[in-house]
Amino acid sequence: MSDTPVPIPPGEEFPPEQILVGRRAGWILTGFFVLLLAVPPLLDGVPERVRELWTALVGKGSSKPIAERLRVYDSGVASAAFTDAPRALTQQVLTQVLGKGNDRVIPGRDGWLFYRPELQALTGYGPVLPEPHSVSRDPALLDWQAPLEPIREFASQLKERGVALWLVPVPMKPTIYPEMITGSPAAGPVRHRDAAVFFQQLSGAGVKVLDLAPMLWAAKAQDAAEGPVYLKDDTHWTTRGLLKVSAMLAEAVRAQPWWVAPAAADGAWTISRVSSAPGHGDLVEKLGLRHPDAWALPRTEALQLVTPAAGRVYPDPASPLVVLGDSFVNMFDDPGLGFGREGGARTQAGLGWQLAAALGAAPDVHAVNGEGASGVRRWLAQRGESAVRAKKLVIWVIAERDLFLSRSVAKANRINWDHVTFAADPPAAAGAGEGGGISVVEAEVVELAEQADPKRANYENALYTVAWKVRKHLSGPAPAESFEVVHWHFKKRELQPTSRLEVGRVYRLKLEPWASHPELQPVNRAELGEAVPLWWAEAAEALVP
Amino acid sequence: MVFTSHIFIFYFLLVSLAAYYATPGPWRHVVFTLFSYVFYGWWNPWFVLLMGAGTVVDYYCGRIITAPGAGEGQRRFGLLFSIISNLLVLAFFKYAGWAVGTASSVGAFLGLPAFPVPEFIQRIVLPVGISFYVFQSLSYCIDLYRRHAPPAKSLGHFACFVSLYPHLVAGPIVRYSSIAGQLSGRIHTIEAFTMGLARFCLGFCKKIMLADPLGVLADAAFNAGPGSLGTAAAWFGVVAYAFQIYFDFSAYSDMAVGLGRMFGFRIVENFKSPYLAASLTEFWRRWHISLSTFLRDYLYIPLGGNRRGAARTYVNLMMVMVIGGLWHGAATTFLVWGAIHGLMLALERWRGRKPLYGPLPRPLRVALTFVVLLVTWVFFRADHFAMATGYLGVMFAGQGGENPAAILLTQQLFAWPNLLWMAGAALVVWGVPNSQQLLERLTVPKVVACLAGFVISLGLMFAQGYSPFLYFQF
């Protein structure tokens, strides 16, 4: 065939153009463009980025496929420090001038803020009529499990062990305060259309559902005198809302035939009123403003502090009552959620503490921020047969949005409804973190739990679990050959050195029993999902290969 | 990699430009090809093998077709091998799951024994942009067979044509004949580079300032559960989507054209203010022009075009648009989208190439055309056929909105910042010249304005995040 030029097909001709930019101006404008793009990464630290890219490409530090590793790398680049200042400044302008939120926060009226996934949960598909799924769109959605079956299964396993399950869905803020979005009063709480049917399905499965919405809605009538039941600039409830709920739960527990009021409860739990340290709610933090104080002044919350008398323990592992929960239980207890006291110690004003005061005895409490759907159930299931059979009732407090999110939004928000299976009693000499003292070992990283982006995570502190294999036991109680350790991922959204552990590399660890750190229990934790006892290690010293 | 991602903007773009211009002229297309493979492999490095294998197969099919002294049998063999291999790749990655799923549903409907869709088929991941580069690669062999294009001078040249990263994953669909000369020799001037830079920045602004914020509104409406969407909100949502997809896709094309200029290539234009069209026929002369000309030349005309009588012309139009619909995605929704377009084109043809609403003044015809397009966009956007019909029920039959939560969604959509954004978008769509017209006479103030918009858009990208281009999924 000849190599003669062929006419361009009709419709593909190039349009005429006129470039009236001289060479000098062209060079200046191009130079500006190049500098604009080159300077930020140079300030960011190119060698470090190149090293991270190499790690992502060769697979060190992760057992994930290369495509996933590259997405994690992308996410790291997107969170580079040089983006912080322009991001915050732009958001400040968007929020303050245009009243615009971001992908996580929707501004309402009179300074009220709403968490976008809550609106998505209220208005989207739900657990009864699920979101239709087209396999040609996102194959990964196939793996997502709807909540009904895992909850049924959990309740059934508890029932086999003689334990009742009460589910306490905490209504979403727009359910109780829709007028702060719409501007017009509503006749009643705004619920998801599946709510009534779904709660009936759960009741049919032997789960008692304590619906808080009518009670909190009724309490709104007194808002003018007593203040709202939800915080304006936070996802969670106020002390007032919390006390209403704890009183309702305590009354219901006291009505149980097996409940025996503790003797000499008077004075065992002292109540005092204090103010929280001034601060902004989690939704202000999620907005990421440059000057949050310019948008709304920091404020305090009246806290009801509960102090146990000597000899009283909180939480009480021997209590027949277990409270499982998420950040709603940790609110006013975990200082990482804001509204803590000066000093940063646990606040002792959360739901578990209020129940202890109201009942005269501490329940067994396990609440992890963001892990209300699966993590806390897994914790209970791993306690062992005897420990679970000693319980009478599990009160499971969970953000209602976790129950009603459609599968695509739930997946995007990392809400997973895992099946959990109750474990047998652990062997007496497990060599595990649940008991014993400090161990020092040299161990190799086997697997890392998936780590969230610290700048996008819902919480300012996060832990993650790492699977290890012992190479050399140096001192203290010997852990099992394969064991799991909880490490810091980020604190105050700053990545910690232990977040950069590499699979296959050997480190020296000083292991402490995980249970010996109650202050860390509420912190959001990415888990591997293995039913093994945990250790805790503050640091990991890399050994030269 | 996405043009509006941090990794592309702050690392890949400058590194690829620097490497390209640091390389001696004759080797630049090789460097460009390598960077294009890195760009594509960033989604999943394994897909690079697929694109590479397709490139080698089509290059050698082209050699078979154009071999000196090749007889008709040999030429036909080369063509068929290329067509079959390309269509098999598309069939496996894009259509297997849908075909098996549809067969299963139809079988169940007819009372035949049910068979589940095998797990591995459900989990096939669609390689990004496969429909674009497979079509381009395929068109090369067809053009060689028709003697409409010269053969590639080397495998390197052909690999550069297939993988050219500015337009690799979302078009415009470039034919070999329009780029063959540029592969051998390109003229690089600072003036042309500045033109490319301005066009790239303009596309970036469209994507970040308009497409992404409107996408949030469209997503809110289309993700609404039954009863949560009122009629007004449904209309608002689909208009937001119509604007989103135009700004998103045309922004990608602007960036592709701009990047091409920065590397010395001229890439064909893909849009000419499509929502100014007064009929569907006109719309397809303004929207995704490279696809419509591709379908015209490689499907409609070979089917007989309008040369075999009126009835056959209508059938051909219908077939071309249905296939065009399925080219976008393996789903019943895309099939219906294509069928509606085919039907409208046939109707307009039947009316003597005049719009159905011919007697009306042009602004009204433009408005009516836009409404018809909105209906088709519902099928294009909905994740499922049932969702599309439900959505249309809300739009036209007033169904929905009975859920008390619907008021929340309505208020969220009609918040004043969103109304402002929608008004701005409408102004750009109907009241402002398109990117090509804006920059056809490039001046320094225009470049400065594009750069200023780019800086503001970077801030928005940091604050609001970015989302992939809609057409990546095709």
Side-chain angles (χ1 to χ4, degrees), chain A residues 1 6 10 12 14 17-18 20-21 23 41 71 74 87 91 98 101 123 129 134 136-137 142-143 193, chain B residues 10 42-43 122-123 148-149 175 191 225-226 228 261 266 296 330 334 383 417 440-442 462 464:
Chain A
M1 183 166 172
V6 174
E12 296 204 350
F14 297 116
E17 62 183 22
Q18 204 180 357
L20 302 174
V21 178
R23 286 180 60 81
R71 295 299 74 75
D74 276 348
R87 174 189 295 121
Q91 191 59 53
L98 293 174
T123 59
L129 186 63
S134 164
S136 62
R137 292 276 163 127
L142 286 167
D143 297 328
R193 66 178 271 148
Chain B
F10 291 105
W42 201 258
W43 275 284
Q122 293 187 53
R123 290 185 183 279
H148 285 182
R175 292 188 227 180
E191 293 86 350
S228 294
R261 287 308 287 275
R266 288 204 73 173
R296 177 196 67 198
F334 290 114
D383 283 338
E440 67 188 354
R441 193 168 179 277
L442 189 73
F462 296 152
Q464 304 277 296

Short mmCIF file of all heavy atoms in Angstrom, two decimals, chain A residues 1 6 10 12 14 17-18 20-21 23 41 71 74 87 91 98 101 123 129 134 136-137 142-143 193, chain B residues 10 42-43 122-123 148-149 175 191 225-226 228 261 266 296 330 334 383 417 440-442 462 464:
data_model
loop_
_atom_site.label_atom_id
_atom_site.label_comp_id
_atom_site.label_asym_id
_atom_site.label_seq_id
_atom_site.Cartn_x
_atom_site.Cartn_y
_atom_site.Cartn_z
N MET A 1 0.84 -1.20 0.00
CA MET A 1 0.00 0.00 0.00
C MET A 1 0.88 1.25 0.00
O MET A 1 1.91 1.28 0.62
CB MET A 1 -0.89 -0.01 1.25
CG MET A 1 -1.84 1.15 1.31
SD MET A 1 -3.09 0.86 2.55
CE MET A 1 -3.86 2.46 2.54
N VAL A 6 -3.68 10.56 3.59
CA VAL A 6 -5.10 10.24 3.44
C VAL A 6 -5.88 11.39 4.04
O VAL A 6 -5.50 11.92 5.09
CB VAL A 6 -5.41 8.92 4.17
CG1 VAL A 6 -6.89 8.65 4.14
CG2 VAL A 6 -4.63 7.79 3.56
N PRO A 10 -14.47 13.45 7.54
CA PRO A 10 -15.32 14.61 7.83
C PRO A 10 -15.68 14.65 9.31
O PRO A 10 -15.96 13.61 9.91
CB PRO A 10 -16.57 14.37 6.97
CG PRO A 10 -16.22 13.27 6.02
CD PRO A 10 -15.03 12.56 6.55
N GLU A 12 -13.62 15.60 11.57
CA GLU A 12 -12.40 15.53 12.36
C GLU A 12 -11.37 16.57 11.94
O GLU A 12 -10.19 16.43 12.23
CB GLU A 12 -11.81 14.12 12.28
CG GLU A 12 -12.73 13.07 12.87
CD GLU A 12 -11.99 11.83 13.34
OE1 GLU A 12 -10.81 11.70 13.03
OE2 GLU A 12 -12.63 11.01 14.02
N PHE A 14 -9.38 20.09 12.05
CA PHE A 14 -9.03 20.95 13.16
C PHE A 14 -9.55 22.36 12.90
O PHE A 14 -9.38 22.89 11.80
CB PHE A 14 -7.51 20.96 13.35
CG PHE A 14 -6.99 19.61 13.71
CD1 PHE A 14 -6.13 18.93 12.86
CD2 PHE A 14 -7.39 18.99 14.88
CE1 PHE A 14 -5.67 17.67 13.17
CE2 PHE A 14 -6.92 17.72 15.20
CZ PHE A 14 -6.08 17.06 14.35
N GLU A 17 -7.50 28.64 14.41
CA GLU A 17 -7.20 29.29 15.69
C GLU A 17 -6.18 30.40 15.45
O GLU A 17 -5.46 30.40 14.45
CB GLU A 17 -6.66 28.28 16.70
CG GLU A 17 -5.36 27.63 16.28
CD GLU A 17 -4.88 26.60 17.26
OE1 GLU A 17 -5.70 26.08 18.04
OE2 GLU A 17 -3.67 26.31 17.26
N GLN A 18 -6.15 31.31 16.39
CA GLN A 18 -5.26 32.45 16.27
C GLN A 18 -4.60 32.63 17.64
O GLN A 18 -5.29 32.89 18.63
CB GLN A 18 -6.12 33.68 15.92
CG GLN A 18 -5.36 34.76 15.24
CD GLN A 18 -6.28 35.93 14.92
OE1 GLN A 18 -7.48 35.90 15.17
NE2 GLN A 18 -5.71 36.99 14.39
N LEU A 20 -2.44 34.82 19.85
CA LEU A 20 -1.89 36.17 19.96
C LEU A 20 -1.05 36.32 21.23
O LEU A 20 -1.09 37.33 21.91
CB LEU A 20 -3.04 37.20 19.95
CG LEU A 20 -3.94 37.14 18.72
CD1 LEU A 20 -5.12 38.08 18.87
CD2 LEU A 20 -3.15 37.47 17.47
N VAL A 21 -0.37 35.26 21.57
CA VAL A 21 0.51 35.28 22.75
C VAL A 21 1.94 35.19 22.22
O VAL A 21 2.29 34.23 21.54
CB VAL A 21 0.22 34.09 23.69
CG1 VAL A 21 1.17 34.10 24.88
CG2 VAL A 21 -1.22 34.14 24.16
N ARG A 23 6.17 35.00 22.19
CA ARG A 23 7.07 33.99 22.77
C ARG A 23 7.41 34.34 24.22
O ARG A 23 7.39 33.47 25.09
CB ARG A 23 8.37 33.93 21.95
CG ARG A 23 8.20 33.23 20.60
CD ARG A 23 9.52 33.20 19.85
NE ARG A 23 10.56 32.50 20.56
CZ ARG A 23 10.71 31.17 20.59
NH1 ARG A 23 9.86 30.43 19.93
NH2 ARG A 23 11.68 30.60 21.26
N PRO A 41 5.30 19.96 45.50
CA PRO A 41 5.91 18.65 45.77
C PRO A 41 7.35 18.75 46.25
O PRO A 41 7.81 17.92 47.06
CB PRO A 41 5.85 17.91 44.44
CG PRO A 41 5.30 18.83 43.45
CD PRO A 41 4.82 20.06 44.12
N ARG A 71 -3.73 2.83 45.21
CA ARG A 71 -4.80 3.73 45.67
C ARG A 71 -4.42 4.32 47.03
O ARG A 71 -4.69 5.47 47.31
CB ARG A 71 -6.13 2.98 45.79
CG ARG A 71 -6.75 2.45 44.50
CD ARG A 71 -7.08 3.48 43.48
NE ARG A 71 -5.93 4.02 42.80
CZ ARG A 71 -5.24 3.38 41.84
NH1 ARG A 71 -5.58 2.18 41.47
NH2 ARG A 71 -4.19 3.94 41.27
N ASP A 74 -1.96 7.01 46.36
CA ASP A 74 -2.68 8.19 45.86
C ASP A 74 -3.27 8.98 47.01
O ASP A 74 -3.20 10.21 47.05
CB ASP A 74 -3.85 7.75 44.96
CG ASP A 74 -3.40 7.48 43.53
OD1 ASP A 74 -2.27 7.85 43.19
OD2 ASP A 74 -4.18 6.90 42.78
N ARG A 87 -6.60 24.08 51.45
CA ARG A 87 -7.86 23.36 51.67
C ARG A 87 -8.70 24.08 52.73
O ARG A 87 -9.87 24.38 52.52
CB ARG A 87 -7.58 21.92 52.13
CG ARG A 87 -8.85 21.16 52.51
CD ARG A 87 -8.56 19.83 53.17
NE ARG A 87 -7.90 18.92 52.26
CZ ARG A 87 -6.71 18.36 52.45
NH1 ARG A 87 -6.05 18.63 53.56
NH2 ARG A 87 -6.19 17.54 51.58
N GLN A 91 -12.22 26.12 52.19
CA GLN A 91 -13.43 25.68 52.89
C GLN A 91 -14.01 26.80 53.75
O GLN A 91 -15.23 26.94 53.87
CB GLN A 91 -13.12 24.44 53.74
CG GLN A 91 -14.37 23.76 54.29
CD GLN A 91 -15.31 23.29 53.19
OE1 GLN A 91 -14.92 22.59 52.27
NE2 GLN A 91 -16.58 23.72 53.26
N LEU A 98 -20.61 31.24 51.33
CA LEU A 98 -21.67 30.60 50.55
C LEU A 98 -22.53 29.64 51.37
O LEU A 98 -23.49 29.07 50.86
CB LEU A 98 -21.06 29.84 49.37
CG LEU A 98 -20.39 30.69 48.29
CD1 LEU A 98 -19.70 29.82 47.26
CD2 LEU A 98 -21.42 31.57 47.61
N GLY A 101 -21.16 23.26 52.66
CA GLY A 101 -20.41 22.29 53.44
C GLY A 101 -19.39 21.58 52.57
O GLY A 101 -18.89 22.14 51.59
N THR A 123 -32.64 9.13 53.54
CA THR A 123 -33.34 9.30 52.27
C THR A 123 -33.01 8.23 51.24
O THR A 123 -33.60 8.22 50.16
CB THR A 123 -33.02 10.68 51.66
OG1 THR A 123 -31.61 10.78 51.46
CG2 THR A 123 -33.47 11.81 52.55
N LEU A 129 -36.02 -2.77 51.66
CA LEU A 129 -36.03 -2.72 50.19
C LEU A 129 -34.63 -2.27 49.78
O LEU A 129 -34.36 -1.09 49.68
CB LEU A 129 -37.08 -1.73 49.71
CG LEU A 129 -37.30 -1.68 48.20
CD1 LEU A 129 -37.82 -3.02 47.68
CD2 LEU A 129 -38.26 -0.58 47.83
N SER A 134 -26.43 -3.56 40.11
CA SER A 134 -26.07 -4.01 38.78
C SER A 134 -24.64 -4.53 38.85
O SER A 134 -23.73 -3.79 39.23
CB SER A 134 -26.17 -2.83 37.82
OG SER A 134 -25.49 -3.12 36.64
N SER A 136 -22.58 -5.02 36.71
CA SER A 136 -21.62 -4.40 35.81
C SER A 136 -21.03 -3.12 36.38
O SER A 136 -20.13 -2.54 35.81
CB SER A 136 -22.29 -4.10 34.47
OG SER A 136 -23.33 -3.18 34.67
N ARG A 137 -21.53 -2.66 37.51
CA ARG A 137 -21.06 -1.38 38.05
C ARG A 137 -19.89 -1.56 39.02
O ARG A 137 -18.81 -1.12 38.77
CB ARG A 137 -22.20 -0.62 38.71
CG ARG A 137 -23.23 -0.14 37.73
CD ARG A 137 -22.81 1.19 37.12
NE ARG A 137 -23.56 1.47 35.92
CZ ARG A 137 -24.24 2.59 35.69
NH1 ARG A 137 -24.25 3.54 36.57
NH2 ARG A 137 -24.87 2.76 34.58
N LEU A 142 -20.76 -6.69 45.94
CA LEU A 142 -21.32 -8.02 46.18
C LEU A 142 -20.96 -8.53 47.57
O LEU A 142 -21.66 -9.35 48.15
CB LEU A 142 -20.75 -9.01 45.15
CG LEU A 142 -21.31 -8.91 43.73
CD1 LEU A 142 -20.46 -9.71 42.79
CD2 LEU A 142 -22.75 -9.40 43.72
N ASP A 143 -19.82 -8.08 48.08
CA ASP A 143 -19.33 -8.60 49.37
C ASP A 143 -20.04 -7.97 50.56
O ASP A 143 -19.90 -8.45 51.67
CB ASP A 143 -17.82 -8.34 49.50
CG ASP A 143 -17.04 -9.08 48.43
OD1 ASP A 143 -17.49 -10.17 48.05
OD2 ASP A 143 -16.02 -8.56 47.97
N ARG A 193 -37.99 5.11 55.75
CA ARG A 193 -39.27 4.44 55.43
C ARG A 193 -39.24 2.96 55.82
O ARG A 193 -40.28 2.33 56.01
CB ARG A 193 -39.64 4.60 53.96
CG ARG A 193 -38.72 3.92 53.00
CD ARG A 193 -39.20 4.11 51.59
NE ARG A 193 -40.12 3.06 51.19
CZ ARG A 193 -41.13 3.22 50.35
NH1 ARG A 193 -41.36 4.39 49.84
NH2 ARG A 193 -41.89 2.20 50.01
N PHE B 10 0.57 17.19 40.32
CA PHE B 10 1.80 17.65 40.97
C PHE B 10 3.02 16.77 40.67
O PHE B 10 4.12 17.13 41.05
CB PHE B 10 1.60 17.77 42.48
CG PHE B 10 0.67 18.89 42.84
CD1 PHE B 10 -0.62 18.63 43.26
CD2 PHE B 10 1.07 20.20 42.72
CE1 PHE B 10 -1.49 19.66 43.56
CE2 PHE B 10 0.22 21.24 43.02
CZ PHE B 10 -1.07 20.97 43.45
N TRP B 42 -1.44 2.83 36.16
CA TRP B 42 -1.66 3.33 37.52
C TRP B 42 -2.97 2.79 38.11
O TRP B 42 -3.08 2.59 39.30
CB TRP B 42 -1.70 4.86 37.50
CG TRP B 42 -1.43 5.46 38.83
CD1 TRP B 42 -2.33 5.98 39.70
CD2 TRP B 42 -0.14 5.60 39.46
NE1 TRP B 42 -1.71 6.43 40.83
CE2 TRP B 42 -0.36 6.20 40.72
CE3 TRP B 42 1.16 5.26 39.10
CZ2 TRP B 42 0.67 6.48 41.60
CZ3 TRP B 42 2.18 5.54 39.98
CH2 TRP B 42 1.94 6.15 41.20
N TRP B 43 -3.97 2.51 37.28
CA TRP B 43 -5.21 1.91 37.79
C TRP B 43 -4.96 0.48 38.22
O TRP B 43 -5.35 0.06 39.29
CB TRP B 43 -6.30 1.92 36.72
CG TRP B 43 -7.03 3.20 36.67
CD1 TRP B 43 -7.98 3.62 37.54
CD2 TRP B 43 -6.86 4.24 35.72
NE1 TRP B 43 -8.42 4.87 37.18
CE2 TRP B 43 -7.76 5.27 36.08
CE3 TRP B 43 -6.06 4.41 34.61
CZ2 TRP B 43 -7.86 6.45 35.35
CZ3 TRP B 43 -6.17 5.58 33.90
CH2 TRP B 43 -7.05 6.59 34.27
N GLN B 122 -19.20 -12.46 37.80
CA GLN B 122 -19.69 -11.27 38.51
C GLN B 122 -18.54 -10.39 38.96
O GLN B 122 -18.72 -9.20 39.21
CB GLN B 122 -20.51 -11.69 39.72
CG GLN B 122 -21.81 -12.38 39.37
CD GLN B 122 -22.66 -12.61 40.61
OE1 GLN B 122 -22.93 -11.69 41.36
NE2 GLN B 122 -23.06 -13.85 40.83
N ARG B 123 -17.38 -11.00 39.15
CA ARG B 123 -16.26 -10.25 39.71
C ARG B 123 -15.26 -9.75 38.65
O ARG B 123 -14.18 -9.30 39.00
CB ARG B 123 -15.53 -11.11 40.75
CG ARG B 123 -16.37 -11.31 41.98
CD ARG B 123 -15.67 -12.04 43.08
NE ARG B 123 -16.58 -12.23 44.18
CZ ARG B 123 -16.85 -11.30 45.09
NH1 ARG B 123 -16.27 -10.13 45.03
NH2 ARG B 123 -17.70 -11.56 46.06
N HIS B 148 -8.02 3.52 3.77
CA HIS B 148 -8.32 4.88 4.22
C HIS B 148 -7.21 5.44 5.11
O HIS B 148 -7.32 6.57 5.59
CB HIS B 148 -9.63 4.92 5.02
CG HIS B 148 -10.85 4.80 4.15
ND1 HIS B 148 -12.12 4.85 4.63
CD2 HIS B 148 -10.97 4.65 2.81
CE1 HIS B 148 -12.99 4.71 3.65
NE2 HIS B 148 -12.31 4.59 2.53
N ALA B 149 -6.21 4.63 5.40
CA ALA B 149 -5.13 5.10 6.28
C ALA B 149 -3.82 4.44 5.86
O ALA B 149 -3.84 3.31 5.33
CB ALA B 149 -5.45 4.75 7.73
N ARG B 175 -8.72 8.62 15.18
CA ARG B 175 -8.43 7.64 14.13
C ARG B 175 -6.99 7.79 13.66
O ARG B 175 -6.44 8.89 13.66
CB ARG B 175 -9.38 7.84 12.96
CG ARG B 175 -10.79 7.49 13.40
CD ARG B 175 -11.69 7.49 12.23
NE ARG B 175 -12.88 8.21 12.54
CZ ARG B 175 -13.87 8.37 11.66
NH1 ARG B 175 -13.76 7.88 10.45
NH2 ARG B 175 -14.95 9.02 12.00
N GLU B 191 4.18 29.00 21.74
CA GLU B 191 2.83 29.53 21.53
C GLU B 191 1.80 28.39 21.57
O GLU B 191 0.75 28.50 22.23
CB GLU B 191 2.74 30.26 20.19
CG GLU B 191 3.55 31.54 20.10
CD GLU B 191 4.99 31.29 19.68
OE1 GLU B 191 5.41 30.12 19.64
OE2 GLU B 191 5.71 32.26 19.40
N GLY B 225 -33.93 6.71 47.97
CA GLY B 225 -34.73 5.49 48.04
C GLY B 225 -36.17 5.77 47.60
O GLY B 225 -36.55 6.94 47.41
N PRO B 226 -36.97 4.72 47.48
CA PRO B 226 -38.36 4.90 47.06
C PRO B 226 -39.10 5.83 48.02
O PRO B 226 -38.98 5.69 49.23
CB PRO B 226 -38.93 3.48 47.12
CG PRO B 226 -37.76 2.58 47.10
CD PRO B 226 -36.62 3.31 47.72
N SER B 228 -38.53 8.85 48.66
CA SER B 228 -37.75 9.94 49.25
C SER B 228 -37.53 11.09 48.29
O SER B 228 -36.88 12.07 48.64
CB SER B 228 -36.38 9.42 49.71
OG SER B 228 -36.55 8.52 50.76
N ARG B 261 -1.76 19.32 22.88
CA ARG B 261 -1.00 20.47 22.35
C ARG B 261 0.31 20.64 23.10
O ARG B 261 1.32 21.02 22.52
CB ARG B 261 -1.84 21.75 22.48
CG ARG B 261 -3.00 21.88 21.53
CD ARG B 261 -2.65 21.68 20.09
NE ARG B 261 -1.90 22.74 19.43
CZ ARG B 261 -2.43 23.83 18.88
NH1 ARG B 261 -3.73 24.02 18.94
NH2 ARG B 261 -1.68 24.72 18.27
N ARG B 266 -2.18 17.42 17.87
CA ARG B 266 -3.51 18.04 17.76
C ARG B 266 -4.54 16.93 17.77
O ARG B 266 -4.48 16.00 16.97
CB ARG B 266 -3.63 18.87 16.49
CG ARG B 266 -2.80 20.16 16.59
CD ARG B 266 -3.32 21.22 15.66
NE ARG B 266 -4.57 21.81 16.14
CZ ARG B 266 -5.14 22.85 15.55
NH1 ARG B 266 -4.60 23.41 14.50
NH2 ARG B 266 -6.27 23.35 16.02
N ARG B 296 -20.94 6.41 12.60
CA ARG B 296 -21.41 6.67 11.24
C ARG B 296 -20.53 5.91 10.22
O ARG B 296 -21.04 5.20 9.35
CB ARG B 296 -21.33 8.19 10.97
CG ARG B 296 -21.71 8.62 9.56
CD ARG B 296 -21.23 10.04 9.29
NE ARG B 296 -19.78 10.12 9.24
CZ ARG B 296 -19.08 11.25 9.35
NH1 ARG B 296 -19.69 12.40 9.53
NH2 ARG B 296 -17.77 11.24 9.29
N ALA B 330 -22.61 -2.32 29.70
CA ALA B 330 -23.38 -3.54 29.57
C ALA B 330 -24.52 -3.50 30.57
O ALA B 330 -24.39 -4.00 31.69
CB ALA B 330 -22.48 -4.74 29.81
N PHE B 334 -28.51 1.25 29.43
CA PHE B 334 -27.81 1.83 28.28
C PHE B 334 -28.48 1.41 26.97
O PHE B 334 -28.50 2.17 26.00
CB PHE B 334 -26.34 1.42 28.27
CG PHE B 334 -25.54 2.07 29.38
CD1 PHE B 334 -25.00 1.32 30.41
CD2 PHE B 334 -25.38 3.44 29.41
CE1 PHE B 334 -24.29 1.92 31.42
CE2 PHE B 334 -24.67 4.06 30.42
CZ PHE B 334 -24.11 3.29 31.45
N ASP B 383 -28.61 3.25 38.13
CA ASP B 383 -27.81 2.03 38.26
C ASP B 383 -28.57 0.80 37.80
O ASP B 383 -27.99 -0.26 37.65
CB ASP B 383 -27.40 1.84 39.73
CG ASP B 383 -26.26 2.78 40.09
OD1 ASP B 383 -25.56 3.23 39.17
OD2 ASP B 383 -26.09 3.08 41.28
N PRO B 417 -27.01 27.86 47.91
CA PRO B 417 -25.74 27.70 47.18
C PRO B 417 -25.89 26.77 45.97
O PRO B 417 -25.27 26.99 44.93
CB PRO B 417 -24.79 27.10 48.21
CG PRO B 417 -25.40 27.39 49.54
CD PRO B 417 -26.86 27.42 49.32
N GLU B 440 -10.33 30.21 20.64
CA GLU B 440 -9.88 30.16 19.24
C GLU B 440 -9.04 31.39 18.90
O GLU B 440 -8.23 31.37 17.97
CB GLU B 440 -11.06 30.00 18.27
CG GLU B 440 -11.99 31.16 18.19
CD GLU B 440 -13.23 30.83 17.36
OE1 GLU B 440 -13.28 29.73 16.79
OE2 GLU B 440 -14.13 31.67 17.32
N ARG B 441 -9.23 32.44 19.66
CA ARG B 441 -8.37 33.63 19.52
C ARG B 441 -7.71 33.84 20.88
O ARG B 441 -8.27 34.46 21.77
CB ARG B 441 -9.23 34.83 19.14
CG ARG B 441 -8.45 36.01 18.67
CD ARG B 441 -9.38 37.06 18.03
NE ARG B 441 -8.61 38.21 17.60
CZ ARG B 441 -8.27 39.20 18.41
NH1 ARG B 441 -8.65 39.20 19.66
NH2 ARG B 441 -7.54 40.21 17.96
N LEU B 442 -6.54 33.24 21.02
CA LEU B 442 -5.90 33.20 22.35
C LEU B 442 -5.10 34.47 22.59
O LEU B 442 -4.23 34.83 21.81
CB LEU B 442 -4.97 31.97 22.44
CG LEU B 442 -4.41 31.71 23.84
CD1 LEU B 442 -5.49 31.16 24.75
CD2 LEU B 442 -3.24 30.74 23.79
N PHE B 462 -8.66 20.57 46.65
CA PHE B 462 -8.16 20.19 47.98
C PHE B 462 -9.32 20.09 48.98
O PHE B 462 -9.39 19.19 49.80
CB PHE B 462 -7.14 21.21 48.49
CG PHE B 462 -5.89 21.31 47.67
CD1 PHE B 462 -5.15 22.48 47.63
CD2 PHE B 462 -5.42 20.22 46.94
CE1 PHE B 462 -3.99 22.59 46.88
CE2 PHE B 462 -4.25 20.32 46.20
CZ PHE B 462 -3.54 21.50 46.16
N GLN B 464 -12.80 20.04 48.47
CA GLN B 464 -14.01 19.25 48.18
C GLN B 464 -13.69 17.86 47.66
O GLN B 464 -14.58 17.06 47.44
CB GLN B 464 -14.88 19.99 47.16
CG GLN B 464 -15.26 21.40 47.59
CD GLN B 464 -16.45 21.44 48.51
OE1 GLN B 464 -17.55 21.07 48.15
NE2 GLN B 464 -16.23 21.87 49.74
#
